[in-house]
Amino acid sequence: MNALNRIIHPAGQALFFIVLISVLIIYSVILIITSCNPYFFVGFGVIGLTVITFMFSFFRNPIRNIIPDNSIVYSPADGEIVFIDTVFENEDLNRECIKVSVFMSIYDVHVNRYPLGGKIRYTKYHPGRYFIARYPKSSEFNEHHSTVIETPEGTPVLVKQIAGTVARRIICYAKEGWQAIQGNDLGFIRFGSRVDLFLPLDAEILVKMNEKVKGNLSVIARLSNLSERLDNKTDRKSILFNSLKQIEPKITNLNFLK
C-alpha cells in the first residue's frame, strides 16, 4: 500500500482531488474579483477548509493490521450496532441465521473489511431503494451488494453492504472464487450506510445493541470450534448406528412371518 492509500482510501481519491482543486480555483477567482477583500478572504477560506476537511475525514483510511483468526468474526465496518436477531436468510444461505447490523454515519470510517477469511463462493449486486440505512427494512429493499465467504472449516457467512439515503455508490472488490483475507478491504460505501452480517446460529455474539464498533478492532462474534462440530456429528452417527443395532434383531425375528 502506497503512502497516499494509507491516508485516503482509493475509492475516494479521485473525488477528493476534484473537490480540492475546485475549491482552490473558486477561492482564487473570488479573491481576484473582490481584490482580496479580507471578509471574503476569511469567509470563503473557512468554507473551503470545511469542505476539504469533511472530504478528507470521510475518505480517511486508517491502517488496522490484525492477526488472522477464523474462530472470531471482526466488525466489517466502523459504526453502531442497530440490529441483533434471528432471521431467515433466503438469498444464498437458505437457513436461519443470526443477523448483526452495523450502521455507519457520515462521520464514521466507511471502509468495509472482510470479517473473516475464506473462499468467496457468491457475490452479487442488487439495485434498490434508498431508505434510511438505520431502518431494518433497508436490508431488504435498499441498493445492496451481498458476498458469501466460506471458511476453510466450511462455515458460510454472508456480508451485505447496504446503501443509505445519501449513499448512492457501493464499491465491492469481491469476486467469486477469490480467497478473502480477514481484515483486507472488501469495499467502500459513500456517505452513510450499513453492513449486515448473517452468522450461524451457534455463533457466540459478543456485542450488544447500540454498541460502538470499529472495523478490524471490535470482535462481533466467536464461531463454534470445528472439532466440536465434528465431535457432534460423530456423536449423532454413533447414536444412529447403535439404534440400528438394537432394532436389527427385532427385524430379523420377523422372518417367521414370511
Side-chain angles (χ1 to χ4, degrees), residues 161-181:
Q161 301 167 275
I162 304 166
T165 304
V166 181
R168 300 296 171 102
R169 177 78 189 279
I170 298 175
I171 298 171
C172 182
Y173 303 131
K175 303 292 183 185
E176 286 189 28
W178 283 12
Q179 287 294 322
I181 299 176

Side-chain angles (χ1 to χ4, degrees), residues 21-54:
I21 294 171
S22 299
V23 168
L24 292 176
I25 291 175
I26 294 172
Y27 187 58
S28 300
V29 170
I30 290 175
L31 290 182
I32 293 173
I33 294 175
T34 61
S35 300
C36 294
N37 184 295
Y39 295 104
F40 286 99
F41 179 80
V42 175
F44 282 95
V46 171
I47 294 174
L49 185 60
T50 301
V51 171
I52 293 172
T53 302
F54 171 78

Side-chain angles (χ1 to χ4, degrees), residues 2-238:
N2 60 42
L4 180 60
N5 290 350
R6 291 177 178 271
I7 301 173
I8 303 174
H9 194 273
Q13 290 176 7
L15 182 59
F16 174 80
F17 285 110
I18 289 173
V19 172
L20 175 63
I21 294 171
S22 299
V23 168
L24 292 176
I25 291 175
I26 294 172
Y27 187 58
S28 300
V29 170
I30 290 175
L31 290 182
I32 293 173
I33 294 175
T34 61
S35 300
C36 294
N37 184 295
Y39 295 104
F40 286 99
F41 179 80
V42 175
F44 282 95
V46 171
I47 294 174
L49 185 60
T50 301
V51 171
I52 293 172
T53 302
F54 171 78
M55 294 296 293
F56 177 81
S57 175
F58 185 84
F59 289 109
R60 66 193 185 277
N61 188 22
I63 305 304
R64 298 170 182 168
N65 296 320
I66 63 169
I67 299 176
D69 180 359
N70 264 0
S71 68
I72 59 176
V73 180
Y74 282 104
S75 176
D78 290 25
E80 179 184 353
I81 301 296
V82 295
F83 187 92
I84 304 175
D85 205 352
T86 301
V87 300
F88 187 86
E89 200 296 302
N90 59 6
E91 181 180 349
D92 179 82
L93 303 180
N94 295 313
R95 67 181 69 171
E96 292 283 330
C97 299
I98 301 174
K99 184 171 102 172
V100 180
S101 301
V102 180
F103 172 75
M104 295 174 282
S105 74
I106 59 174
Y107 304 107
D108 290 313
V109 174
H110 274 57
V111 182
N112 301 151
R113 311 170 197 267
Y114 289 112
L116 74 175
K119 184 178 181 180
I120 299 172
R121 78 174 198 192
Y122 173 85
T123 181
K124 186 176 182 179
Y125 168 78
H126 301 269
R129 306 287 294 278
Y130 297 97
F131 295 116
I132 297 174
R134 181 183 288 270
Y135 294 166
K137 65 181 179 181
S138 67
S139 179
E140 181 179 355
F141 297 110
N142 279 22
E143 173 191 2
H144 61 275
H145 197 121
S146 301
T147 300
V148 175
I149 306 164
E150 186 169 308
T151 69
E153 295 77 21
T155 303
V157 171
L158 189 147
V159 185
K160 184 182 289 189
Q161 301 167 275
I162 304 166
T165 304
V166 181
R168 300 296 171 102
R169 177 78 189 279
I170 298 175
I171 298 171
C172 182
Y173 303 131
K175 303 292 183 185
E176 286 189 28
W178 283 12
Q179 287 294 322
I181 299 176
Q182 189 177 38
N184 279 14
D185 287 3
L186 164 65
F188 199 96
I189 315 176
R190 293 178 179 174
F191 305 119
S193 44
R194 164 177 171 159
V195 178
D196 288 350
L197 284 173
F198 293 83
L199 304 166
L201 291 177
D202 57 359
E204 178 188 1
I205 304 302
L206 302 176
V207 292
K208 58 184 182 296
M209 286 290 293
N210 304 316
E211 182 177 340
K212 295 290 186 178
V213 295
K214 291 186 177 294
N216 275 16
L217 294 178
S218 304
V219 178
I220 297 292
R222 186 178 302 279
L223 299 179
S224 293
N225 189 283
L226 176 62
S227 61
E228 293 177 359
R229 293 183 180 182
L230 291 177
D231 288 343
N232 290 336
K233 290 180 180 179
T234 302
D235 290 342
R236 287 196 295 268
K237 289 180 179 179
S238 298

